[in-house]
């Protein structure tokens, strides 16, 4: 069980069937982005529409050429995008990206009668629903299968979860707590069940008659839909990993623009920030063995069998040697943020569940991120100890209300994989954004692509005798790097 | 199981032995505050030194007179304190308070030879150690026993935990990761065990040779000491609750000033804020069924047996009625922050683990705080379901470095029980602080007491025909209210 050992690098995905079974994805719809790649093997994001020659060049880990959509393939809102492959860390670029405009169509009333609920919109010749805009980055590890599949499917799962909410979200009154159990009922039959105080029926005499009803916002329904979409995405990867030869896992960062608000969902160590009038607004936080230490220790404490007798849930500042039995050693358990001394016992000689600092921190000496999709077969090296129970597929969703602020064309939402953030901090990203944007006309649609490219180039550095070096001569990122730059106040937004 | 039913109000504590067994508290020491009360039954904080007549008056729930130390009993740093009893909610004032200056004496070397470690101080004629200042509030519930005992003992547990650190904290070099196992060894023998890279000995061939050693700060050792002191305090209450007729539980909020830093430790729903130059700096957060929902749901999900077949770990916006089986109801589980619909099943008819909003939120319909001391016998009404497994005795500790900022006499740390904060928000407290302080001379030592009294009077209100009313005619707090106002830049501080 060597620290530098990761789970074996997986076989590349041979075929990822379109419209595969399992959790049923909605039919592909929207503007045509991404359709071309469905069912293919490993590839780059569909919206890049790379030719065979371009694909070869994008995969060159020596030249590390930066890729962006060409002008004719402009993304919605003139979004900027750029990516570069790693410097040899893995065979392929294990980052993936997706950008879509998705129509959420109300689930048809099977009774066949047209519904006419107040507040709902009719679009596209009678189809009722709404659009959302979607941008997402997936940072794969131990194989590219999970990232490729997630980049092709996650937005469809989100769409699927939102379909039940088409009527509810378009109705300004508070969402109903309870829906009728007949799925074929039209929306006019949505029952708002009377409160307990209006109703004499209680389960039994001993039960209380509560007069409470918690207010649930429209926003929290969208958050719940996104959270469950991540869960179903993870389930789909689990179910199809054998038949599709999927392997590995991925971090996922998605930005959804819906009805005036951005929902930024993050599971892993990618990051999103908004830069508004020069100010930095964090839109995500990273989920790593260090930031999630207490959740993991708590789980291991309650379910010690998950540690397979090889690990201890306690944290120590370094490995303990057998000759230190009986001495007093610093430790912390799941309840503590500080450190204290304890007498070293036999059990403390096991390897700690969480070990290492910063980028080197690992769960069971194996994985450096604690949320994401996939990894269902990930085990501790040469053991039968599964790591998936410690990983969460649930994102944290942060909401940004675009209507609460007047945005100018220089205000942007930046999404980046850790290849960017490992070497370029928030402030540096903000200053690159401002620097590049001021050198282009405010209405030049290329300016956001220029920012994305500059961020990638700056973080990659240039190849010198002693490796890839940034302007300050520090080592650039040898990792895959992917960046979206989404304008918040550009022309043509919010359509 | 009625919502308004709390665990039965416990018997009042008949006798609280001084120097009782169990987790051995350090010998009482310090400046004499609190000694008088040790071993007594229910009483008010020792530093008030109330006469029998004053005690009677303090316990009058109709008159609700505000209590403060008289001038001759001034607290360290001229700290202000005020309290008032509830309006009839419980027989006694279940809040307790403590203010102490505690000397932490290095544990004696049993070999009897004097130690001469560089950096340690000799004080009090050869006793080696340091002082810390201590202020704490305890908000009891379901009986006063736990709060009374904690107010008399918690600082001694903190002292006990710090005794092992006297040499380490006074040595500016990084704390040793490992201490020798011979407790009789002098501090000169503190071994700094060589790192793995300096040492060929590893457990076995398969084990890794880690070159990592995590840096641990002095500050995090103090945090760890405070955390464990809360744990030992809770253990002591558990062990002595039968012999001492202790009952109930309490929230605990403690501020420790040590070597230039404030450590504010909070377990429960009391609150601490610093007001510095008019700015509010939160020094705690509240632990309630709402703020700790996910921790509690996660525990219940992993250990369903703790729910005794009567509760479900899922949250619903209201009680579900049996006739709603099969309908779709909003819910959220331990992984979610948003809400989604699920089909109602038989199991969902159970009572939710977390139920109610705001001040009415309860764990298993019983308790509205999720951290604190005591409550070892607390059960769901007329059941055998224990609630203690869901409660944590561990505080969150926040650190404020007094040396990083030049403080003026108007800068204060305010500690208050929920009786204050339920009706007076941070901003209102800050404006009362500024208003009162400006009406006294900066060097008037009474001014902090005047602030504390004004905060209590304002939150209690005055008795009118329709109950206790505040200046805005809203209902004042009918709860016990206790407030410390600690000057950060007053004369005579930091000694």
């Amino acid at each position: 069980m060597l620290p530098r050992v990761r789970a074996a690098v997986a076989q590349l995905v041979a075929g990822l069937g379109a419209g595969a079974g399992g959790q049923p994805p909605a039919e592909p719809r929207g503007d045509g982005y991404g359709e071309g790649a469905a069912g293919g093997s490993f590839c780059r994001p569909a919206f890049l529409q790379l030719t065979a020659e371009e694909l070869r060049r994008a995969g060159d880990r020596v030249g590390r050429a930066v890729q962006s959509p060409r002008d004719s393939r402009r993304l919605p809102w003139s979004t900027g995008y750029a990516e570069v492959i790693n410097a040899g860390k893995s065979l392929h670029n294990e980052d993936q990206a997706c950008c879509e405009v998705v129509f959420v169509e109300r689930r048809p009333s099977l009774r066949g009668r047209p519904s006419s609920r107040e507040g709902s919109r009719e679009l596209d010749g009678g189809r009722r629903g709404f659009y959302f805009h979607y941008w997402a980055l997936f940072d794969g590890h131990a194989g590219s299968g999970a990232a490729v599949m997630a980049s092709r499917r996650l937005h469809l799962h989100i769409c699927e979860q939102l379909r039940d909410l088409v009527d509810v979200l378009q109705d300004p009154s508070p969402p109903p707590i309870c829906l009728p159990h007949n799925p074929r009922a039209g929306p006019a039959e949505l029952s708002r069940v009377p409160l307990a105080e209006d109703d004499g029926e209680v389960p039994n005499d001993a039960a209380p008659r509560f007069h409470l009803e918690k207010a649930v916002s429209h926003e929290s329904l969208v958050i719940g839909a996104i959270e469950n979409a991540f869960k179903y995405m993870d389930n789909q990867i689990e179910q199809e990993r054998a038949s599709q030869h999927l392997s590995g896992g991925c971090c996922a960062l998605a930005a959804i623009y819906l009805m005036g608000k951005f929902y930024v969902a993050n599971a892993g160590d990618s990051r999103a920030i908004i830069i508004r009038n020069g100010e930095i607004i964090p839109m995500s936080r990273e989920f790593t063995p260090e930031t999630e230490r207490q959740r993991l220790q708590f789980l291991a404490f309650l379910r010690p069998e998950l540690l397979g007798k090889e690990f201890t849930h306690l944290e120590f500042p370094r490995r303990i040697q057998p000759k230190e039995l009986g001495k007093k050693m610093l430790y912390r358990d799941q309840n503590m943020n500080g450190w204290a001394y304890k007498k070293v016992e036999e059990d403390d000689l096991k390897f700690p569940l969480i070990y290492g600092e910063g980028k080197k921190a690992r769960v069971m000496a194996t994985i450096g991120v604690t949320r994401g999709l996939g990894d269902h077969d990930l085990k501790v090296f040469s053991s039968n100890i599964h790591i998936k129970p410690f990983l969460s597929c649930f994102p944290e969703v942060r909401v940004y209300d675009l209507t609460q602020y007047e945005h100018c064309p220089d205000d942007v939402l930046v999404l980046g994989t850790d290849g960017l953030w490992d070497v370029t901090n928030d402030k540096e990203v903000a200053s690159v954004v401002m620097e590049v944007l001021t050198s282009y006309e405010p209405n030049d649609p290329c300016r956001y692509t220029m920012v994305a490219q500059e961020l990638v180039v700056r973080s990659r550095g240039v190849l010198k005798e002693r490796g890839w070096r940034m302007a300050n001569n520090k080592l650039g990122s040898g990792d895959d790097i992917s960046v979206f730059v989404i304008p918040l106040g550009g022309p043509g937004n919010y359509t």
Side-chain angles (χ1 to χ4, degrees), chain A residues 194-211:
Chain A
L195 303 186
E197 59 191 324
D198 304 327
D199 194 318
E201 184 179 332
V202 287
N204 59 59
D205 286 347
R209 299 169 103 242
F210 274 94
H211 304 299

Side-chain angles (χ1 to χ4, degrees), chain A residues 74-97:
Chain A
R74 192 164 300 147
L75 297 177
W77 295 14
S78 301
T79 295
Y81 173 82
E83 64 165 54
V84 74
I85 195 169
N86 64 81
K89 168 184 167 177
S90 58
L91 181 59
H92 285 286
N93 184 343
E94 292 186 343
D95 282 1
Q96 292 293 339

Side-chain angles (χ1 to χ4, degrees), chain A residues 90-149:
Chain A
S90 58
L91 181 59
H92 285 286
N93 184 343
E94 292 186 343
D95 282 1
Q96 292 293 339
C98 181
C99 178
E100 295 276 350
V101 180
V102 183
F103 182 67
V104 183
E105 186 175 4
R106 185 178 173 280
R107 221 177 286 285
S109 160
L110 297 188
R111 283 179 183 172
R113 54 187 181 71
S115 51
S116 59
R117 192 158 192 247
E118 220 182 333
S120 64
R121 287 182 217 161
E122 301 225 349
L123 291 167
D124 295 46
R127 291 164 73 201
R128 279 160 19 94
F130 51 75
Y131 284 96
F132 69 86
H133 286 69
Y134 170 88
W135 301 257
L137 296 176
F138 304 89
D139 181 353
H141 52 254
S144 44
V148 169
M149 187 172 203

Side-chain angles (χ1 to χ4, degrees), chain A residues 326-345:
Chain A
K327 292 186 177 179
K328 280 178 151 186
M329 177 72 81
L330 285 175
Y331 81 101
R332 53 180 176 177
D333 73 14
Q334 75 278 3
N335 298 306
M336 297 170 71
N337 277 307
W339 294 84
Y341 290 100
K342 84 179 286 291
K343 196 172 156 186
V344 175
E345 293 161 60

Side-chain angles (χ1 to χ4, degrees), chain A residues 342-377:
Chain A
K342 84 179 286 291
K343 196 172 156 186
V344 175
E345 293 161 60
E346 195 69 34
D347 230 38
D348 302 327
L349 298 177
K350 294 175 180 173
F351 199 89
L353 169 66
I354 309 291
Y355 192 70
E357 267 187 299
K359 287 298 285 184
K360 287 180 180 164
R362 292 280 180 281
V363 180
M364 300 203 276
T366 305
I367 187 167
V369 287
T370 51
R371 299 212 188 183
L373 305 166
D375 289 319
H376 296 91
D377 298 313

Side-chain angles (χ1 to χ4, degrees), chain A residues 282-349:
Chain A
M283 287 303 295
S284 67
R285 64 186 171 106
E286 286 87 73
F287 296 96
T288 68
E290 286 189 315
T291 64
E292 294 217 278
R293 174 182 62 85
Q294 289 183 289
R295 174 177 74 78
L296 303 182
Q297 285 187 304
F298 188 44
L299 173 60
F301 172 73
L302 291 172
R303 286 269 176 87
E305 69 275 14
L306 296 176
L307 298 175
K309 295 181 185 169
E310 288 205 33
F311 293 89
T312 166
H313 81 279
L314 294 180
E315 187 187 14
F316 299 99
R318 65 164 168 75
R319 284 308 304 276
I320 304 175
Q321 300 167 40
K323 67 178 179 187
E324 291 173 324
L325 265 172
K327 292 186 177 179
K328 280 178 151 186
M329 177 72 81
L330 285 175
Y331 81 101
R332 53 180 176 177
D333 73 14
Q334 75 278 3
N335 298 306
M336 297 170 71
N337 277 307
W339 294 84
Y341 290 100
K342 84 179 286 291
K343 196 172 156 186
V344 175
E345 293 161 60
E346 195 69 34
D347 230 38
D348 302 327
L349 298 177

Side-chain angles (χ1 to χ4, degrees), chain A residues 275-280 410-412 426-440 447 451 455:
Chain A
I275 299 151
R276 187 184 70 194
N277 200 16
E279 182 195 357
I280 293 160
D410 287 6
D411 297 336
V412 294
D426 294 6
K427 275 190 173 180
E428 291 163 337
V429 166
S431 75
V432 168
V433 166
M434 288 184 283
E435 199 177 294
V436 175
L437 288 182
T438 51
S439 65
Y440 289 83
R447 63 205 299 258
V451 174
L455 287 171

